[in-house]
Amino acid sequence: MGISADHIRELHRYEIRILMILERLMRRYRWVPLDILRRTIGLSESEVSYRLGRLMAMGLVRFDAVPYEGYSLVFQGYDALALISLTRKGTVRALGTLIGEGKEAVVYEALGLSELALKFHHVGQRSFQSARVTRDYMPDQGHCPWIFASRLSAEREYEALQTLHPSVSVPLPVDINRHTVVMEFVPGATLNRCTLESPRDVLSEILENVRLAYGKGIIHADLSEFNVMHDGSRIYLIDWPQWVGTDHPNAAELLVRDLGNITRYFSRRFGIEVPADEILGEVTG
Ligand SMILES: Nc1ncnc2c1ncn2[C@@H]1O[C@H](COP(=O)(O)OP(=O)(O)O)[C@@H](O)[C@H]1O
Ligand SMILES: [Mg+2]
């Protein structure tokens, strides 16, 4: 389920307060016990029940009676908090349409001072078990692994964009709140959905940007035709949360895999063949 701007606009200030308190209490409880929630909120019992009922109907909060009666934020509620903060701050003025929905993120178009992309990182809940195995930047987390993992994922991506922009062609990072990265909206589409006039030039441009990123100490580590966008005149490398440093123990292997994904794609789709070892040499200088 996506984010409903209508729901967020309709939130009563008590409901926003409840979301914020839930967020805070979830540092200590995976399920926040009803009595603790009531005590912390300082509203009447009936008011709290009414507000929680509305939040649940909007899909922002979840209730479970096992192991005890408790409430928990879900991604939609956490998204709402980030969006409210970004709006109050003035970074975001309007939420646009859903432009991408992957395994671990949902991306929306939005309007701020310019056109923006909002990437809400959703790492965990269902996919958390596998994420834990494959991502080595996940230190021990507290009671709420999905909040922790999603924030970390956003922070990692933001850090890469800040390091790389503008030397490497990546979206301009604009702001970050909780698990949400705000960046420049890139027009166009991912390579797998583009028709390319001169694929050979596009391939060189991608490899040149991989080389420049490497020079900044960063390897993408999830590079493929799905994470390169093309706007008709230039390419952008997107989707950076899993980047590794060039000093990472698996750096060489991950770089070879990135380059292999790209060259295989150009070979398969356009019949362009380039020797892998030659490219590796060029990229690493
Ligand atoms: N800055 C951006 N501007 C425009 N569209 C974007 C931007 N970032 C991501 N997208 C779109 O959202 C999709 C998902 O984003 P991505 O960062 O690849 O996350 P994930 O693959 O983890 O879902 C992309 O395939 C692309 O279509
Ligand atoms: Mg992607």
Side-chain angles (χ1 to χ4, degrees), residues 27-40:
R27 287 188 212 140
R28 280 192 288 142
Y29 306 93
R30 191 172 292 216
W31 292 95
V32 179
L34 180 55
D35 53 331
I36 292 189
L37 190 57
R38 279 205 193 113
R39 233 181 295 146
T40 317

Side-chain angles (χ1 to χ4, degrees), residues 11-280:
L11 284 174
H12 185 273
R13 62 192 169 88
Y14 288 168
E15 289 156 5
I16 296 176
R17 199 204 297 180
I18 290 176
L19 289 177
M20 286 178 167
I21 286 171
L22 261 182
E23 177 187 30
R24 185 151 49 83
L25 289 172
M26 284 182 71
R27 287 188 212 140
R28 280 192 288 142
Y29 306 93
R30 191 172 292 216
W31 292 95
V32 179
L34 180 55
D35 53 331
I36 292 189
L37 190 57
R38 279 205 193 113
R39 233 181 295 146
T40 317
I41 289 170
L43 295 169
S44 75
E45 208 165 292
S46 61
E47 184 73 45
V48 173
S49 305
Y50 172 68
R51 296 299 167 193
L52 281 169
R54 271 181 43 94
L55 289 168
M56 281 192 291
M58 289 185 255
L60 306 180
V61 163
R62 207 167 49 174
F63 169 81
D64 208 329
V66 180
Y68 50 80
E69 290 203 353
Y71 290 85
S72 154
L73 272 181
V74 294
F75 274 125
Q76 280 73 20
Y78 202 47
D79 296 345
L81 283 173
L83 201 51
I84 288 165
S85 298
L86 288 164
T87 309
R88 286 183 177 168
K89 200 176 156 193
T91 304
V92 172
R93 283 192 293 148
L95 185 69
T97 54
L98 180 69
I99 48 180
E101 185 161 21
K103 233 173 31 267
E104 304 204 320
V106 285
V107 182
Y108 277 80
E109 203 176 336
L111 203 62
L113 284 178
S114 57
E115 267 188 285
L116 303 171
L118 298 190
K119 182 169 173 182
F120 299 88
H121 288 245
H122 289 181
V123 183
Q125 280 180 349
R126 218 173 18 137
S127 65
F128 189 73
Q129 292 307 320
S130 65
R132 196 187 178 114
V133 178
T134 54
R135 297 195 174 199
D136 62 17
Y137 60 81
M138 214 168 283
D140 203 24
Q141 359 66 33
H143 289 281
C144 211
W146 62 270
I147 288 186
F148 186 91
S150 301
R151 283 184 90 115
L152 197 54
S153 180
E155 282 161 15
R156 292 272 304 171
E157 177 155 48
Y158 199 70
E159 189 186 346
L161 295 179
Q162 280 189 310
T163 307
L164 298 174
H165 194 275
S167 328
V168 180
S169 187
V170 298
L172 165 78
V174 173
D175 203 350
I176 178 166
N177 186 273
R178 296 180 173 81
H179 64 322
T180 305
V181 172
V182 184
M183 61 187 139
E184 166 193 9
F185 176 82
V186 173
T190 49
L191 276 193
N192 60 303
R193 294 186 295 151
C194 287
T195 46
L196 300 180
E197 268 175 31
S198 44
R200 216 168 263 282
D201 293 340
V202 172
L203 175 59
S204 317
E205 199 182 332
I206 295 170
L207 298 176
E208 173 61 7
N209 279 284
V210 173
R211 186 183 74 79
L212 291 167
Y214 190 85
K216 294 256 165 201
I218 290 186
I219 295 166
H220 188 290
D222 190 24
L223 197 62
S224 71
E225 66 273 26
F226 303 105
N227 287 330
V228 179
M229 293 188 72
H230 193 264
D231 70 356
S233 61
R234 57 181 279 204
I235 64 104
Y236 294 80
L237 305 183
I238 62 163
D239 201 1
W240 289 88
Q242 65 298 305
W243 69 273
V244 298
T246 46
D247 56 355
H248 187 277
N250 302 115
E253 191 186 313
L254 291 166
L255 179 63
V256 167
R257 194 178 68 185
D258 276 358
L259 294 171
N261 290 343
I262 293 297
T263 52
R264 257 195 317 280
Y265 178 72
F266 277 82
S267 153
R268 196 172 64 232
R269 188 158 162 207
F270 304 105
I272 298 174
E273 302 294 343
V274 265
D277 47 342
E278 191 179 299
I279 288 183
L280 185 63

